[in-house]
Structures are given as structure tokens and as C-alpha cells.
């Protein structure tokens, strides 16, 4: 048999198998890309995000209460600015010059009270955001987790109201202490879950 005829026979033998494999491979490629969460189509459309996090009831509850707390911090910032304007007490000389003169470049007890309330929120809400996010990944009971988030949120709201309205002591201290309980509980559970990996 000549080399040319032998090469032709081999091509005829292998061509159906190669053709079948190629057809299956190219047909399955779009389906595989469609299943991939990172797939990007030629038109530039991004694949839908994974719904697993949105199915986590604990994380969704944490997101709800965290958003309320962040909005509360925005409200305090707005109140602080309004009190500054009303009391004409500005932290920057250029602001004082714009609103009457350098004599208003000064501190005011009411403004400082608002600032302390805002600073106290940052000192407590930011750690809660970390603890709550990690705690949500531990697969706790949704009801128990919701109680944790609810107590902290209500405690911080009462603390802010007591601070700004100068409610009689120990209202503010009690609200602060109650809000710390769920944080300590979440921190302890996180430590217990992660101790084997230290």
C-alpha cells in the first residue's frame, strides 16, 4: 500500500470520531458557559449573581438591622450640621467667615453633644457590623439571630435618643449596656467556632 493511500485510510478512519467529538464539544461549550457564574457573553452581559447569600435568612435579617443603624448615623450627622447652623458654632474658620465672622469659629455644648453621640455610634456600630456578618456565616438559629440584631438595634436607638434629649440617668447607660449583650454573645460564639483553627 502506498504512503498516500495509507494516510487517506487513516484520515477516513479517524474523521468520523473527530467530527463527532468536535460537534459534541462545540455544542456543549455554550451550555457550560451559561452554567458558569463568571461567564460573560459576547454582548457583554454579566451572569446573574449567586442567590445563596440572599437565601440566608440570618444574613438578610442582619442586613435589615444594619441598614437601619447606618441610616440612624446619617440622621445624627444631619442633626449635628443643623445644630451648628442654629447655634452658629463652626469647626472651621472658613465656615465661620461665611456665616457671620470668625467669632463663630468656636465650640458649643449642644454641638459637642451631637458629636459625642455620633462618635459613640461609630465606636459601637462598626464592631457590630463585623461581628454580625461573621456570626451570620455560622448558621445560627434565625430566631435567635434576629433577637441578637433586634436588641442591639433598639439599644442603640434608645441610647441616641437619651443622649440628644438629655434623658435622666441611667437611661443612656442602661441602653448602652443592653446593646452590648448581643455583641458579646456573638463574639463568644465566633470564638468557640473558630478556636479549633487558631
Amino acid at each position: 500500500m502506498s504512503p498516500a493511500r495509507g494516510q487517506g485510510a487513516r484520515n477516513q478512519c479517524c474523521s468520523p470520531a473527530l467530527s463527532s467529538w468536535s460537534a459534541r464539544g462545540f455544542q456543549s461549550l455554550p451550555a457550560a458557559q451559561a452554567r458558569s457564574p463568571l461567564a460573560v457573553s459576547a454582548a457583554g452581559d454579566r451572569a446573574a449573581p449567586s442567590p445563596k447569600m440572599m437565601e440566608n435568612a440570618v444574613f438578610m435579617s442582619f442586613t435589615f438591622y444594619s441598614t437601619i443603624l447606618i441610616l440612624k448615623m446619617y440622621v445624627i450627622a444631619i442633626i449635628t450640621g443643623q445644630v451648628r447652623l442654629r447655634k452658629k458654632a463652626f469647626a472651621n474658620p472658613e465656615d465661620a467667615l461665611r456665616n457671620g465672622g470668625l467669632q463663630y469659629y468656636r465650640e458649643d455644648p449642644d454641638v459637642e453633644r451631637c458629636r459625642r453621640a455620633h462618635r459613640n455610634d461609630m465606636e459601637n456600630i462598626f464592631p457590630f457590623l463585623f461581628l454580625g456578618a461573621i456570626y451570620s456565616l455560622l448558621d445560627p438559629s434565625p430566631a435567635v439571630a434576629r433577637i441578637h440584631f433586634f436588641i442591639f438595634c433598639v439599644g442603640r436607638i434608645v441610647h441616641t435618643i437619651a443622649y440628644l434629649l438629655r434623658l435622666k440617668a441611667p437611661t443612656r447607660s442602661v441602653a448602652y449596656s443592653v446593646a452590648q449583650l448581643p455583641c458579646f454573645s456573638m463574639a463568644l460564639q465566633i470564638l468557640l467556632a473558630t478556636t479549633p483553627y487558631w
Side-chain angles (χ1 to χ4, degrees):
M1 181 181 294
S2 66
R5 292 181 61 186
Q7 183 67 28
R10 284 195 297 272
N11 289 341
Q12 291 177 357
C13 177
C14 298
S15 295
L18 288 173
S19 300
S20 176
W21 178 85
S22 300
R24 289 196 304 270
F26 284 114
Q27 288 173 0
S28 62
L29 184 58
Q33 289 180 341
R35 288 193 300 268
S36 173
L38 300 178
V40 180
S41 67
D45 298 331
R46 291 179 295 180
S50 173
K52 290 184 179 179
M53 188 63 73
M54 305 302 289
E55 294 174 356
N56 187 334
V58 175
F59 183 79
M60 294 303 295
S61 178
F62 165 73
T63 303
F64 172 79
Y65 286 106
S66 297
T67 303
I68 290 178
L69 293 169
I70 294 297
L71 290 175
K72 183 180 76 70
M73 293 178 67
Y74 278 123
V75 170
I76 296 179
I78 294 172
I79 291 174
T80 303
Q82 294 301 313
V83 173
R84 280 193 184 281
L85 291 172
R86 180 168 55 84
K87 303 298 290 286
K88 285 187 174 294
F90 301 98
N92 301 298
E94 61 271 20
D95 296 329
L97 286 172
R98 182 182 178 184
N99 290 274
L102 285 177
Q103 66 270 24
Y104 299 119
Y105 174 45
R106 58 190 177 88
E107 293 184 353
D108 180 85
D110 293 334
V111 174
E112 292 306 309
R113 176 174 289 272
C114 294
R115 293 184 62 208
R116 288 195 300 272
H118 196 186
R119 185 166 57 245
N120 192 277
D121 264 352
M122 292 188 291
E123 292 172 354
N124 290 272
I125 291 177
F126 290 163
F128 167 79
L129 296 179
F130 170 79
L131 293 173
I134 302 301
Y135 175 70
S136 300
L137 301 178
L138 301 182
D139 195 25
S141 165
V144 174
R146 192 172 293 112
I147 292 173
H148 280 69
F149 305 149
F150 176 79
I151 291 176
F152 181 83
C153 184
V154 172
R156 292 310 307 175
I157 291 174
V158 173
H159 180 274
T160 297
I161 294 173
Y163 221 140
L164 297 182
L165 299 183
R166 307 185 185 195
L167 298 184
K168 186 176 180 180
T171 305
R172 191 177 77 246
S173 299
V174 171
Y176 174 87
S177 300
V178 170
Q180 295 307 305
L181 295 177
C183 288
F184 283 122
S185 174
M186 290 187 295
L188 179 60
Q189 294 179 67
I190 292 171
L191 287 176
L192 292 176
T194 57
T195 296
Y197 306 96
W198 72 284

